[in-house]
Amino acid sequence: MMKKDQKTLLMALLALCMGVILAGGLHYVSTMREDLTAQAVRNVMTVTRQQQQALDNFISGDRERLHSFADYFSKNGSEDADMIRSQLKVFGEVDAFYTVVNLYNGRFFSNKSNQVFQLEGEELASYRALMGDGVRDPFTGLNASGAMFGYYESFTFANGIRGLIQKSYDRNKVSEAFSLSFYDDRGLGYVVNQKGDILLHSNGTLDGREYDNILDALSGGHDAQEEAEEFLDALQRREPGSAVFAGGGGSFVYTYVPVENVPGWTLVSVVSMDAITEETEQILRDSQLTFLLLMGILAVCAIVVLLIWRTHKDIAQKDREIRYQVELFDIFSSYLSSNTNDVYMLIDLDRERIEYISPNVERVLGIPPGEISADIRSFVGTGNGEEKLDADEIYAMEPGDAIKPITTSWTNPRTKQYQWFQVNIYCTAVQGESRLVLYISDRTEERKIQDGLSEALDLARMANDAKSAFLSSVSHDIRTPMNAIIGLVALLREEPDDPEVVLEYTQRIDAASQHLLGLINDVLDMNKIESGSASLNLSEMSMAGVVEEINTIIRPQAKAKDQVFDIFVSSLVYEHLQGDKLRINQILINLLSNAVKYTPAGGRIEMRVEELPQVVEKYSRIRFTISDNGLGMSPEYLKVIFDPFTREEKKSTHGIQGTGLGMAITKSLVDLMGGSIRVESTPGRGSTFTVELELRIQEREEDPRFWKDHKVARMIVADDEEEICRNIARAMEGTGVVTDRSTDGETAVQMMRTAWEEGRPYDLILLDWKMPGLDGLETARRIRESYPEEIPILLFTAYDWGEIEQEAREIGVDHFLPKPFFMSTFKEAIRRVMGDTGKVETSEDSAVEGRHILVVDDIEVNRLILVKILRTLGAECDTAANGQEALDAFEASEPGEYDIILMDVQMPVMDGYAATRAIRASRHPEAKTVPIIAMTANAFMDDVRDAISSGMDAHIAKPVQVDKLKSTIRQVLDSRTQQGTEDGEGSSEL
């Protein structure tokens, strides 16, 4: 009877639940329609905002580009009509209309026509009224048939004439590009002004009609009139919002968002309420179907519960059968355990005995079952891997408790192999008593696979990090000389009329450019550096040139951080050496760039260059010492500083970019040159790097009469640093010139006066610019005021002398000499000041002068540059745009017409190799003898070999270096001349 009552109660509860669910479903359906409609309006507003952002981004991007074009035209004169047309011609193929208007005379230029139109009257006045920059409401363009939409910006030409540039589009095309399309093309978009006038609109019509004002679509009722006024007020206040209006074709939802980049414009989306209602009804129908499905599931669940209830008695009756089946499972599991690496145990913790253990326990764990049974507590506490079993925690478990899977490990006593296991432990009740179930799974093979995959992943990440670090390092290293180039170009624009300044800056630009070119070559050859197969390009180099290039690149960096950067050069016996100048520059720039980066603002950086006693005859030992008072490095990091991709990560270096490649490359290059590098550093006090290289001495004959020819017998050096004075005096030893020195300007003036009174005046004065007391300028002024004889005065400084150059010239300073002191630069300055009586070498220039050269290159800019250089050197040039044109020109030429052919390699129609082979195979009398020089950006040794094998005489790598071009032409012509002489002698002997 009790069971029947329980069954009735359960049925009543199920019926009550279904009734509640049914009532809730009906309420849900009744309220969902309103919520979906409101959500649909919000969705339309979201779409409207997205389209507004897209339109704003489009307008903003176009206006930025228009501003850059206006800035370009402002740098040119308004009278240069050809320039304006050529610049606008670039945009001839685009859909937009680009126009430039001279607001002074009304001349109108367009990218769609080569004709220059003349604006007059109201049309010109409308353009003159446009001030600043902005977006124009749709207007009628001069070259367009329909309404236009676009932007404008006024500017001033370089000659002061006011101009205006305008970019405009066909309004219909803009409408197509920003046409809203949703709710199966029943949603439309409009751009309106604050009066509601439609400026841009989507493709399609509202209720089958087109309107000029969006308010015209509203019905004329009183309520609609009030809502229209509120809508118009929102447009004028530039507020976003939404509203529902009744139109001729039914009700419509209006959502509107102001356009940020154009004051007074608003983007309005209009969607038919019927479209929203149809979507809502579809969702409701789907919801109703889901509700019915849910009710069906509940009904099935009720039936299942009833079945469970009815089968409960049967389950109890079959309990004994289930226990029997459990026994059968134990037998079956024993079979599985014999063929798998999983171990099962059932432990009675209260009696500390194992009731069941898999037969495979000794095979898998290496422990006999008897040892486990003898000391169960010790066994369950076994393991020393990532996690360890806690015997006390296990013995405290109650039925129903479980320990999360534990990964542990131990050495198999039988196989002596290290194994990994996953242990699952849970406590259960068997006939009212606690039993512990252990499931131990051998995961050694999985762990090996996982470790292998993890290692592979780490290697992949390291490779990816290395690539990213490499690209960042390359970007930094390229920007370093590029910064010097850009800065010097900016300075060059400020002083274009001073020949000496122009020469100085162009020399520095050339130095930085050469370093940049070298860096690019290094990037392409990085694999050789890392593998140890990199080679050196040994050539004559000047230590003065090396130091000057380093100074040009590093000093602007140090100045930007308000750091003191000094270079000290002890007297060098040999300034001209043989070595890889590019590699040496790379070593020094790496070390100095790091010093700049890791030295705080206001710090000090020094580079010392000194010549050590010779060890090997005809080799000079040069020591470079770079020191700073920056952050310093820890002793631990100094042990790995030259390993690739290592950086010392600490708080003080956080935010400083670096890849950890610079020091590794530096060490590799020093080792490649057979030199040595060492470092000393103290955290917080700075670092010192010392590089020693042995470089072969480049033998040069010195002019023993130089000082006598230039009438320099006595000179005075004034510098506040005694070390600099001593180095200069030491360098002048052996020249026969008496060199007196002073550490201040006052003493120099007194020495000058004493020498004058004794009848032993100085022939040359070298003054430091910045000295305490009397600086170099004031010292020079007093000397010029006191002594009428024009004694040459050179101003010696490590700073940019541009700011004092005019004042120094007015005082009477004859020339400027950069620090540090080099004999070669000192002699060059004397030649400029006193005149050079030596013979001027002009052989390379004369080799080019008067020659008729055929220039072959498919890039017009390259042809123009090369022709300009050659004509400056006195050559006459013809040009060809590809190998076929070059072949045709040569075959049509008279014998002796072309002295040289400069041939590019990669060209369309016919490349340089094919053209050279065709020329050599032609019937022209000079086909075999005309000199052909490859001039290409393919700069590897393989490219040089390919050029020679195709029949060319020499190879010059781009970019073109004038000195290299002249020397190569001279060598090729000399070689051809010598070959012709030998051929002639052979003929006479026959």
Side-chain angles (χ1 to χ4, degrees):
M1 184 70 179
M2 183 179 295
K3 292 183 177 179
K4 185 176 181 181
D5 292 340
Q6 291 177 350
K7 181 177 179 181
T8 304
L9 179 61
L10 180 60
M11 294 298 295
L13 289 175
L14 287 173
L16 178 62
C17 290
M18 293 183 68
V20 171
I21 293 173
L22 181 61
L26 294 174
H27 177 72
Y28 168 79
V29 171
S30 64
T31 59
M32 191 176 186
R33 181 177 287 102
E34 297 178 359
D35 294 339
L36 288 174
T37 301
Q39 181 61 43
V41 174
R42 289 194 293 272
N43 291 341
V44 174
M45 174 59 79
T46 299
V47 174
T48 305
R49 289 186 182 277
Q50 292 173 350
Q51 192 67 13
Q52 170 260 324
Q53 292 175 3
L55 182 60
D56 271 330
N57 292 338
F58 174 80
I59 294 173
S60 176
D62 260 2
R63 293 179 70 178
E64 289 179 1
R65 286 187 288 273
L66 194 67
H67 176 72
S68 66
F69 299 148
D71 183 65
Y72 173 84
F73 285 113
S74 67
K75 297 176 181 178
N76 295 275
S78 63
E79 71 281 358
D80 193 355
D82 291 337
M83 178 277 299
I84 297 174
R85 279 197 298 266
S86 64
Q87 187 63 24
L88 289 176
K89 188 177 180 181
V90 176
F91 309 105
E93 300 299 327
V94 300
D95 292 333
F97 291 82
Y98 283 83
T99 57
V100 174
V101 182
N102 185 324
L103 297 178
Y104 174 75
N105 56 21
R107 300 187 73 185
F108 182 99
F109 302 84
S110 172
N111 68 323
K112 299 298 182 180
S113 174
N114 289 326
Q115 183 178 357
V116 179
F117 300 92
Q118 184 65 42
L119 300 180
E120 297 179 353
E122 293 182 359
E123 194 171 28
L124 177 58
S126 66
Y127 279 96
R128 287 175 174 172
L130 298 176
M131 305 298 292
D133 61 350
V135 181
R136 298 188 65 181
D137 287 344
F139 63 98
T140 301
L142 184 62
N143 293 324
S145 58
M148 304 294 292
F149 156 78
Y151 328 90
Y152 67 89
E153 180 171 339
S154 62
F155 61 92
T156 302
F157 286 99
N159 57 359
I161 298 301
R162 186 167 163 253
L164 182 138
I165 184 171
Q166 175 176 276
K167 181 179 182 182
S168 55
Y169 302 88
D170 187 303
R171 185 175 72 170
N172 292 332
K173 291 185 178 180
V174 176
S175 297
E176 291 176 2
F178 290 93
S179 179
L180 289 174
S181 178
F182 45 92
Y183 284 104
D184 295 329
D185 295 331
R186 297 166 71 180
L188 304 176
Y190 299 87
V191 176
V192 304
N193 60 19
Q194 292 179 324
K195 296 179 181 179
D197 297 327
I198 296 175
L199 306 176
L200 300 172
H201 61 80
S202 300
N203 295 329
T205 59
L206 187 66
D207 62 24
R209 298 163 57 189
E210 293 187 353
Y211 299 94
D212 293 329
N213 190 293
I214 198 166
L215 299 179
D216 295 338
L218 306 180
S219 62
H222 177 71
D223 293 338
Q225 185 64 29
E226 291 180 354
E227 293 176 351
E229 291 177 357
E230 293 178 0
F231 173 57
L232 188 60
D233 185 54
L235 295 181
Q236 294 174 349
R237 294 196 306 272
R238 292 180 58 76
E239 296 178 350
S242 63
V244 179
F245 297 107
S251 296
F252 293 84
V253 174
Y254 283 57
T255 60
Y256 43 90
V257 178
V259 178
E260 296 293 340
N261 284 324
V262 185
W265 282 22
T266 302
L267 180 63
V268 181
S269 296
V270 182
V271 183
S272 170
M273 183 60 76
D274 293 339
I276 295 176
T277 303
E278 289 176 7
E279 184 185 54
T280 302
E281 291 300 327
Q282 181 62 41
I283 295 175
L284 287 175
R285 286 192 293 271
D286 294 340
S287 300
Q288 291 171 355
L289 181 60
T290 302
F291 178 76
L292 293 175
L293 180 61
L294 178 61
M295 293 300 295
I297 293 173
L298 289 175
V300 172
C301 290
I303 294 172
V304 171
V305 170
L306 289 175
L307 292 174
I308 293 174
W309 185 272
R310 291 184 60 182
T311 57
H312 179 71
K313 185 176 181 179
D314 296 334
I315 292 174
Q317 293 175 352
K318 294 182 179 180
D319 182 68
R320 183 175 298 176
E321 183 180 349
I322 293 174
R323 287 198 297 270
Y324 175 74
Q325 292 175 352
V326 169
E327 293 176 0
L328 293 178
F329 174 76
D330 290 339
I331 297 173
F332 185 67
S333 64
S334 296
Y335 171 80
L336 288 178
S337 63
S338 299
N339 295 277
T340 65
N341 291 329
D342 298 332
V343 175
Y344 303 88
M345 295 184 190
L346 185 64
I347 303 174
D348 184 350
L349 293 178
D350 295 334
R351 298 177 179 85
E352 289 196 357
R353 70 181 182 184
I354 298 177
E355 295 185 344
Y356 174 80
I357 187 168
S358 301
N360 62 345
V361 61
E362 185 172 2
R363 177 177 62 82
V364 176
L365 303 182
I367 305 173
E371 291 184 13
I372 298 176
S373 300
D375 192 356
I376 297 175
R377 177 177 287 272
S378 296
F379 173 75
V380 298
T382 303
N384 54 8
E386 299 171 346
E387 300 169 293
K388 190 173 183 179
L389 299 173
D390 188 344
D392 294 333
E393 180 184 358
I394 294 172
Y395 270 75
M397 294 176 64
E398 297 291 337
D401 293 345
I403 296 177
K404 68 177 183 177
I406 296 174
T407 300
T408 186
S409 63
W410 62 75
T411 302
N412 189 309
R414 184 170 60 87
T415 64
K416 306 302 181 182
Q417 293 182 350
Y418 198 73
Q419 294 177 277
W420 291 89
F421 300 93
Q422 185 180 72
V423 182
N424 292 270
I425 304 175
Y426 62 93
C427 187
T428 186
V430 179
Q431 296 181 350
E433 296 183 353
S434 298
R435 295 292 185 270
L436 189 69
V437 179
L438 266 72
Y439 169 61
I440 304 175
S441 177
D442 187 352
R443 299 297 177 87
T444 302
E445 292 302 320
E446 294 180 15
R447 186 60 181 248
K448 290 179 179 179
I449 295 174
Q450 181 181 357
D451 290 344
L453 293 174
S454 178
E455 183 179 356
L457 179 61
D458 291 339
L459 291 174
R461 287 174 176 169
M462 288 176 60
N464 186 61
D465 292 342
K467 180 193 71 174
S468 301
F470 174 74
L471 293 176
S472 176
S473 176
V474 168
S475 174
H476 167 267
D477 291 342
I478 288 178
R479 289 174 185 273
T480 299
M482 183 61 72
N483 179 62
I485 293 172
I486 294 174
L488 289 167
V489 169
L491 293 175
L492 196 60
R493 291 195 185 99
E494 299 296 327
E495 303 177 82
D497 299 323
D498 190 329
E500 291 192 4
V501 171
V502 169
L503 178 61
E504 174 70 21
Y505 288 167
T506 51
Q507 288 174 345
R508 295 188 179 189
I509 290 172
D510 180 66
S513 301
Q514 295 305 316
H515 178 65
L516 179 60
L517 177 61
L519 286 175
I520 294 173
N521 290 333
D522 278 349
V523 170
L524 298 176
D525 206 27
M526 182 60 70
N527 63 325
K528 293 185 179 180
I529 295 178
E530 292 181 346
S531 64
S533 60
S535 59
L536 297 176
N537 182 20
L538 300 179
S539 61
E540 180 181 354
M541 51 174 276
S542 165
M543 290 303 301
V546 171
V547 173
E548 183 176 357
E549 291 179 18
I550 297 299
N551 185 54
T552 300
I553 293 172
I554 298 301
R555 187 166 297 280
Q557 299 179 27
K559 184 177 181 181
K561 292 186 67 175
D562 197 26
Q563 296 167 337
V564 177
F565 174 53
D566 288 327
I567 301 177
F568 298 96
V569 179
S570 299
S571 56
L572 300 179
V573 178
Y574 305 103
E575 285 188 25
H576 297 277
L577 306 169
Q578 279 193 356
D580 192 330
K581 181 180 177 183
L582 179 63
R583 302 295 194 190
I584 295 174
N585 281 355
Q586 187 174 357
I587 292 170
L588 299 178
I589 290 174
N590 279 350
L591 297 175
L592 287 167
S593 295
N594 281 347
V596 173
K597 283 197 299 183
Y598 294 100
T599 299
R604 184 179 185 87
I605 301 167
E606 292 183 358
M607 183 177 80
R608 294 181 177 271
V609 184
E610 55 184 322
E611 188 171 13
L612 303 178
Q614 277 186 290
V615 175
V616 181
E617 186 180 0
K618 295 185 178 181
Y619 280 84
S620 174
R621 293 176 60 205
I622 304 296
R623 174 186 290 167
F624 302 90
T625 305
I626 291 92
S627 59
D628 62 71
N629 60 352
L631 302 179
M633 294 171 284
S634 65
E636 294 75 17
Y637 178 64
L638 291 179
K639 298 177 182 178
V640 297
I641 186 173
F642 297 117
D643 292 344
F645 306 105
T646 56
R647 293 188 66 212
E648 185 172 26
E649 299 292 343
K650 54 185 179 180
K651 184 177 180 180
S652 57
T653 62
H654 181 69
I656 300 177
Q657 293 183 350
T659 64
L661 277 175
M663 290 297 99
I665 294 175
T666 298
K667 179 68 164 59
S668 298
L669 294 177
V670 172
D671 292 344
L672 186 63
M673 296 181 187
S676 65
I677 181 172
R678 61 181 183 273
V679 56
E680 299 174 358
S681 183
T682 303
R685 298 182 61 182
S687 306
T688 299
F689 287 83
T690 303
V691 177
E692 293 184 7
L693 301 173
E694 276 195 341
L695 303 173
R696 186 176 183 85
I697 298 170
Q698 180 68 34
E699 299 290 344
R700 281 202 166 200
E701 292 185 6
E702 297 293 337
D703 183 4
R705 296 183 54 82
F706 176 85
W707 304 102
K708 185 175 181 180
D709 290 344
H710 291 86
K711 298 179 175 58
V712 179
R714 288 170 52 82
M715 61 176 284
I716 184 171
V717 178
D719 195 297
D720 59 314
E721 293 193 40
E722 177 64 23
E723 181 180 357
I724 294 178
C725 293
R726 286 198 305 268
N727 287 338
I728 296 176
R730 193 179 299 117
M732 295 301 297
E733 292 177 0
T735 64
V737 178
V738 177
T739 305
D740 295 330
R741 59 181 188 265
S742 168
T743 56
D744 61 87
E746 195 75 51
T747 303
V749 174
Q750 181 60 41
M751 293 171 64
M752 187 72 187
R753 181 181 300 110
T754 301
W756 182 271
E757 291 172 354
E758 293 176 357
R760 298 180 298 108
Y762 291 105
D763 305 310
L764 183 69
I765 302 173
L766 183 59
L767 301 175
D768 183 27
W769 171 15
K770 294 189 176 182
M771 295 185 293
L774 291 182
D775 63 8
L777 290 179
E778 184 59 30
T779 302
R781 179 181 287 108
R782 294 193 180 185
I783 291 174
R784 288 299 186 214
E785 290 174 351
S786 302
Y787 305 97
E789 184 176 346
E790 286 295 323
I791 301 174
I793 299 178
L794 306 183
L795 203 60
F796 190 45
T797 179
Y799 302 91
D800 184 1
W801 56 73
E803 57 185 284
I804 62 162
E805 184 175 5
Q806 183 175 355
E807 180 183 0
R809 297 293 188 190
E810 293 173 354
I811 290 173
V813 173
D814 298 280
H815 198 69
F816 296 88
L817 191 67
K819 287 186 178 181
F821 179 87
F822 284 93
M823 184 65 74
S824 57
T825 55
F826 185 38
K827 286 184 176 180
E828 180 61 27
I830 293 175
R831 289 189 184 98
R832 293 189 180 185
V833 173
M834 300 183 175
D836 193 352
T837 61
K839 181 180 179 182
V840 179
E841 179 66 36
T842 60
S843 59
E844 291 182 353
D845 288 343
S846 61
V848 181
E849 185 175 359
R851 302 291 181 178
H852 190 187
I853 301 175
L854 177 60
V855 176
V856 187
D857 199 305
D858 61 316
I859 306 299
E860 182 179 4
V861 173
N862 292 347
R863 295 199 301 271
L864 291 174
I865 293 174
L866 190 53
V867 168
K868 179 64 176 177
I869 292 173
L870 293 171
R871 287 178 177 170
T872 302
L873 297 175
E876 180 183 352
C877 299
D878 291 338
T879 62
N882 56 62
Q884 184 62 52
E885 291 185 10
L887 176 61
D888 295 341
F890 177 74
E891 290 182 337
S893 66
E894 296 293 330
E897 182 175 348
Y898 289 119
D899 299 304
I900 305 168
I901 299 176
L902 299 180
M903 182 76 72
D904 189 18
V905 172
Q906 293 187 1
M907 295 182 293
V909 184
M910 180 185 288
D911 63 43
Y913 296 149
T916 300
R917 285 190 287 267
I919 289 174
R920 295 303 188 204
S922 69
R923 298 182 178 180
H924 194 281
E926 296 185 347
K928 306 295 184 182
T929 59
V930 61
I932 303 177
I933 300 175
M935 185 169 292
T936 173
N938 300 336
F940 292 109
M941 292 304 299
D942 292 343
D943 302 311
V944 177
R945 185 179 60 250
D946 292 341
I948 300 302
S949 62
S950 69
M952 297 184 183
D953 298 88
H955 176 283
I956 300 176
K958 293 180 180 177
V960 177
Q961 302 177 48
V962 178
D963 291 338
K964 179 65 174 177
L965 175 64
K966 293 190 294 184
S967 63
T968 302
I969 291 176
R970 178 179 56 79
Q971 292 170 5
V972 169
L973 292 176
D974 289 348
S975 176
R976 284 293 183 183
T977 301
Q978 182 178 358
Q979 181 179 353
T981 302
E982 292 174 353
D983 292 342
E985 291 174 355
S987 300
S988 63
E989 290 175 0
L990 290 176

